[in-house]
């Protein structure tokens, strides 16, 4: 009985550590995806001399926008090289804000999946 109790205690301790590791891996994957968006946004900027506005959103990286500043020579396959904008590793869409065409923010709601909380992951 004592051995079984010890095994259960060790298992629960290892389980907690594993869940923390899994959460950290998702946070790291989110940072990598945001870095990929930043590269695609920089390529977009070079083509248009501004970043997509908030209304165009990250979708401007995969299909030619029909409003705002529109790139004249929009590349086949877009700037991201994907057919859809991926969701964050937590299963939620990224939030993109760019009001002036020069400064933008990309945000993931993070592990708690709630906006505007301490664990949100933002572009720098």
């Amino acid at each position: 009985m004592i051995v079984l109790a010890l095994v259960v205690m060790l298992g629960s301790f290892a389980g907690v550590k594993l869940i923390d590791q899994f959460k950290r891996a998702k946070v790291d994957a989110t940072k990598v995806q945001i870095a990929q968006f930043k590269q695609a946004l920089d390529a977009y900027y070079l083509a248009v001399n501004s970043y997509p506005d908030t209304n165009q959103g990250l979708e401007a990286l995969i299909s030619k926008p029909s409003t705002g500043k529109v790139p004249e020579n929009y590349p086949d396959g877009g700037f991201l090289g994907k057919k859809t904008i991926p969701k964050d590793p937590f299963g939620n869409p990224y939030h993109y804000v760019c009001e002036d065409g020069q400064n933008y923010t990309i945000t993931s709601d993070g592990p708690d999946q709630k906006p505007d909380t301490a664990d949100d992951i933002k572009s720098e």
Side-chain angles (χ1 to χ4, degrees):
M1 203 61 135
I2 294 174
V3 171
L4 183 60
L6 287 173
V7 169
V8 169
M9 285 178 20
L10 286 173
S12 65
F13 178 72
V16 169
K17 288 291 186 186
L18 237 112
I19 290 170
D20 285 345
Q21 287 277 43
F22 187 63
K23 197 181 291 185
R24 274 192 295 249
K26 283 187 169 186
V27 168
D28 290 343
T30 302
K31 290 176 182 179
V32 168
Q33 276 188 331
I34 288 174
Q36 291 172 340
F37 287 138
K38 289 172 77 172
Q39 285 182 323
L41 285 164
D42 287 343
Y44 186 98
Y45 187 90
L46 289 173
V48 184
N49 202 31
S50 75
Y51 294 109
D53 63 34
T54 302
N55 292 330
Q56 292 170 323
L58 294 173
E59 288 75 22
L61 300 176
I62 59 170
S63 61
K64 187 174 183 176
S66 57
T67 61
K69 283 189 174 182
V70 179
E72 290 180 25
N73 298 318
Y74 195 87
D76 291 340
F79 291 92
L80 193 57
K82 298 183 182 206
K83 294 185 184 218
T84 60
I85 298 295
K87 292 187 176 190
D88 70 13
F90 305 99
N92 299 307
Y94 286 95
H95 307 286
Y96 174 79
V97 177
C98 182
E99 300 298 333
D100 62 0
Q102 303 300 310
N103 302 291
Y104 64 84
T105 304
I106 304 168
T107 309
S108 163
D109 294 337
D112 72 358
Q113 302 183 30
K114 295 177 184 171
D116 302 321
T117 57
D119 71 344
D120 290 0
I121 303 159
K122 295 184 180 186
S123 60
E124 297 174 5

